[in-house]
Amino acid sequence: VFRASGLTTLPSILLLGPSGSGKTSLLTLFERGTNPADTHTSQSPIAVECHLPVGATATSDKYRSVNDPTANSTYKKFLLIDTPGHGKLRHHALDNLTNPQNLKGIIFVADAATLSAGDEGLRQTADYLHDVLLLLQKRMESKNKAAKKLRDIPVLIAANKMDLFTALPAALVKSTLEAEITKIRTSRSKRLLDSGIGIEDDAENDDWLGEIGSKEFKFSQMEEFDVLVEVAGGKVAGGDGPAVDKWWKWVSERL
Ligand code: GTP
Ligand code: MG
């Protein structure tokens, strides 16, 4: 869909994240500006054209004169790409990373209400995030030219569903995911060692996310690979209506 001519030149933002975290709800809200109706679990990626809301300014507009007729029309439009979160359909999502079209950033949507210790959602979310970050870390080795062109890649972890009382605050979402990814990283490298693959040279290091030799994984370790990770809380639905200002601001700064 999103390779249709005319749309390819628009800057795009990719939505990733586990099933049920709220990607399609967010897409609906960004596209229509209204509270989303019921969503169904997604089976294929979709791309929609969005506009920055009035009041938000894209950084590339900062240096434009107010009289510049192109300022409003061209630079505030972007393509938002929704992907299915289900494990078996994730290749659709990751295709967008190996063959990116004018990609400006990734929003990884997490359900902040499923990230408590021992919650199955925590492992699933951290697993998926680990894989996305590893793919970005390894993008320079990729044979694909388009993937290599991705220089700086900003990743926003959108800690969604802040309206639910079980939701962790953004700072805790960050530290909890870092701790869980630390565990995943360790167990995967052990598995490699046990299988004998990691014995020769650096084979083992290739799949190690972040700083080699570090005990704890921190998102800041991704800066070394030009991947800038931020975490911000918000909600697409719930009681007092949506609150996605921080995410809009993040998007506007990437266009
Ligand atoms: P997949 O398509 O399966 O990958 O899921 P998805 O990430 O697209 O999730 P979707 O947008 O379909 O949302 C899943 C459920 O979460 C829906 O019932 C939404 O109404 C609900 N939801 C989304 N955002 C919020 C929120 O901020 N608060 C609350 N309480 N519910 C939300
Ligand atoms: Mg969906």
Side-chain angles (χ1 to χ4, degrees):
V1 198
F2 42 88
R3 292 201 183 123
S5 63
L7 293 177
T8 44
T9 49
L10 283 180
S12 65
I13 300 283
L14 178 63
L15 292 173
L16 299 176
S19 190
S21 60
K23 299 177 293 300
T24 306
S25 306
L26 179 60
L27 174 105
T28 315
L29 178 65
F30 272 15
E31 183 190 16
R32 305 200 191 134
T34 52
N35 227 338
D38 270 354
T39 52
H40 302 280
T41 195
S42 307
Q43 308 213 1
S44 58
I46 50 161
V48 299
E49 205 180 294
C50 296
H51 305 257
L52 281 178
V54 188
T57 341
T59 37
S60 52
D61 275 357
K62 263 195 218 151
Y63 308 104
R64 284 172 181 275
S65 124
V66 269
N67 300 319
D68 185 340
T70 60
N72 287 318
S73 51
T74 324
Y75 285 87
K76 288 178 184 175
K77 272 190 204 161
F78 64 100
L79 208 58
L80 191 61
I81 304 165
D82 182 25
T83 59
H86 191 283
K88 286 190 177 146
L89 301 171
R90 260 175 219 171
H91 56 276
H92 288 307
L94 300 175
D95 276 353
N96 286 291
L97 288 183
T98 45
N99 199 6
Q101 310 275 320
N102 201 6
L103 187 64
K104 297 295 183 193
I106 295 168
I107 301 182
F108 186 94
V109 184
D111 179 346
T114 65
L115 300 179
S116 317
D119 194 315
E120 184 56 29
L122 172 59
R123 177 47 71 108
Q124 277 169 14
T125 305
D127 246 331
Y128 192 6
L129 184 56
H130 171 277
D131 291 357
V132 169
L133 294 178
L134 189 62
L135 219 118
L136 292 175
Q137 177 178 314
K138 293 170 80 168
R139 71 193 184 279
M140 300 312 276
E141 307 157 17
S142 153
K143 285 191 204 98
N144 192 303
K145 279 196 198 119
K148 275 190 186 159
K149 260 197 243 158
L150 281 179
R151 291 238 147 240
D152 304 331
I153 281 292
V155 177
L156 173 69
I157 299 173
N160 191 27
K161 308 202 187 182
M162 285 299 168
D163 56 298
L164 301 177
F165 81 99
T166 44
L168 300 183
L172 260 182
V173 167
K174 183 175 185 219
S175 56
T176 306
L177 284 173
E178 284 176 333
E180 193 68 17
I181 289 178
T182 300
K183 288 187 205 160
I184 292 169
R185 190 170 77 161
T186 310
S187 73
R188 290 203 192 176
S189 80
K190 277 214 188 85
R191 223 185 299 155
L192 272 182
L193 276 178
D194 291 346
S195 68
I197 299 170
I199 291 173
E200 281 165 49
D201 359 292
D202 295 331
E204 164 206 3
N205 289 346
D206 282 353
D207 283 323
W208 179 266
L209 184 69
E211 188 192 335
I212 307 279
S214 60
K215 256 210 188 101
E216 287 173 16
F217 174 77
K218 299 280 177 218
F219 289 125
S220 58
Q221 291 169 12
M222 296 308 296
E223 284 166 26
E224 176 88 5
F225 306 97
D226 296 326
V227 179
L228 301 172
V229 185
E230 279 174 60
V231 185
K235 62 193 173 96
V236 180
D240 308 321
V244 293
D245 315 12
K246 287 180 186 149
W247 304 344
W248 262 130
K249 185 165 179 289
W250 184 89
V251 170
S252 75
E253 287 166 0
R254 303 282 148 345
L255 299 177

